[in-house]
Amino acid sequence: MNASKRLTPRTRGVTLRTRGFSMRLDLRGAVVGLLLIAVSLVMSVVLIGTGDFPIAPADVIRTLTGHGTAAQDFIINELRMPRVLVGLLVGGALGLSGALFQSISRNPLGSPDVIGFGQGSAAGALAVIVLFQGSPGAVAAGAVIGGLVTGAGVYALSWRRGVHGYRLVLVGIGASSMLSAVNGYLLTKADLPDATRAVVWLTGSLNGRDWEQVWPLAVVCAVLLPVVLGHARDLRMLEMGDDSAYALGVRVERTRLVLMLAAIVLTSSATAAAGPVAFVALTAPQLARRLTRSSGPNLLPSAWMGAGLLITADWSAQRLFGADQLPVGVLTGMLGGGYLVWLLVTERKAGRI
């Protein structure tokens, strides 16, 4: 079996060819992806060792390989590991969903927390908390249902012989505003204990997360990641415009619907696990694209960037304010808000808004 490699200066990629098979590998994207994975793993080890009972990174690794003390084993595997895994999965899911929405809409503002899907999930969860005093499992289910209903509504209102980028963003921003008002109304109608619980959930936090949040989100990611990657080539074609994608044999609306549904489920599941963590879905894909210097959707680098961002933000919040003083959603909201202002100014100077 013969294989040949061909370098192209424009994309710095390698084409691997065998009999009946050809695959293109973006070298820079692969290197960036590996570095992001390494950063996420290193920060995960550091985060596991952070808390009221500090544990050195070497002891964390020793315990994870089954050679720690009984106390270290309990603290790491039962108390801290679920929090870190939820952070990695939530960040990865948000980064991937943000890359999908930005690619589908061909707009850097096409992020689920900007165009209303995060607010829809929050509205579903708040309705369960305020109206039914539901259990944590019911709240998670309400968040998923709220996100799906919002997605269906935004898709239907955006439809006009197809769903186009700016229409999707504008309808989504309008939906986000209305849902914010609904969430505010639900908070005013809640009893004090329910309102307190709802406000804590709305900030977006990894505090108190356990294995019950890990497994459902892990299953969702494991199921949807192959679906998304299987449509990666069609998504790249969609970025060139619907007409070009049709000409290349892409089933445009079917592909768009499948990928939007996958992105909505990822966003809703991440919100159900950790609350509406702001701006990770907006910033992760764009930072990944700047690092890879690739014009494609950058699906895996965006997921890895989201995981690294959320873990690093959680570690920073603990180091600066203590483990239970500042939920990670507050920190990502502050940093992401500044990034959004910078992005709007940049887009305005470029004449795109």
Side-chain angles (χ1 to χ4, degrees), residues 194-248:
D194 292 333
T196 302
R197 179 185 175 196
V199 169
V200 170
W201 188 88
L202 281 173
T203 58
S205 174
L206 299 177
N207 294 339
R209 296 305 179 262
D210 56 29
W211 293 104
E212 291 184 2
Q213 285 82 40
V214 173
W215 296 120
L217 184 54
V219 170
V220 169
C221 292
V223 170
L224 292 182
L225 183 60
V227 174
V228 170
L229 295 181
H231 289 79
R233 178 184 175 277
D234 292 345
L235 181 61
R236 185 181 289 271
M237 299 299 106
L238 280 177
E239 288 190 335
M240 298 189 299
D242 288 3
D243 293 338
S244 298
Y246 273 122
L248 293 169

Side-chain angles (χ1 to χ4, degrees), residues 43 46-47 50-51 83 203-207 277 308-335:
M43 290 306 303
V46 173
L47 180 58
T50 302
R83 176 187 184 126
T203 58
S205 174
L206 299 177
N207 294 339
V277 180
L309 281 177
L310 190 55
I311 287 296
T312 303
D314 192 40
W315 174 80
S316 301
Q318 289 194 44
R319 294 291 295 177
L320 295 174
F321 301 97
D324 299 316
Q325 297 300 315
L326 185 70
V328 66
V330 177
L331 184 59
T332 60
M334 291 188 295
L335 298 177

Side-chain angles (χ1 to χ4, degrees), residues 161-185:
R161 290 178 294 182
V163 175
H164 299 284
Y166 276 102
R167 189 183 306 129
L168 176 67
V169 172
L170 290 174
V171 171
I173 291 174
S176 179
S177 298
M178 290 188 290
L179 288 167
S180 295
V182 171
N183 292 343
Y185 172 76

Side-chain angles (χ1 to χ4, degrees), residues 43-161:
M43 290 306 303
S44 296
V45 171
V46 173
L47 180 58
I48 289 173
T50 302
D52 294 334
F53 185 81
I55 302 175
D59 293 330
V60 171
I61 295 174
R62 189 179 301 112
T63 303
L64 292 176
T65 56
H67 298 91
T69 65
Q72 290 173 340
D73 182 72
F74 175 76
I75 292 172
I76 291 175
N77 292 316
E78 298 299 326
L79 300 181
R80 296 181 182 174
M81 179 62 77
R83 176 187 184 126
V84 172
L85 290 177
V86 169
L88 290 171
L89 290 169
V90 167
L94 291 176
L96 182 58
S97 65
L100 287 171
F101 276 119
Q102 291 177 22
S103 185
I104 290 170
S105 64
R106 300 195 293 276
N107 190 315
L109 293 176
S111 171
D113 46 6
V114 174
I115 59 178
F117 300 115
Q119 291 290 343
S121 296
L126 278 180
V128 173
I129 292 174
V130 174
L131 301 179
F132 305 105
Q133 293 78 45
S135 65
V139 172
V144 174
I145 293 171
L148 290 173
V149 171
T150 302
V154 170
Y155 186 87
L157 292 173
S158 303
W159 176 270
R160 186 179 178 184
R161 290 178 294 182

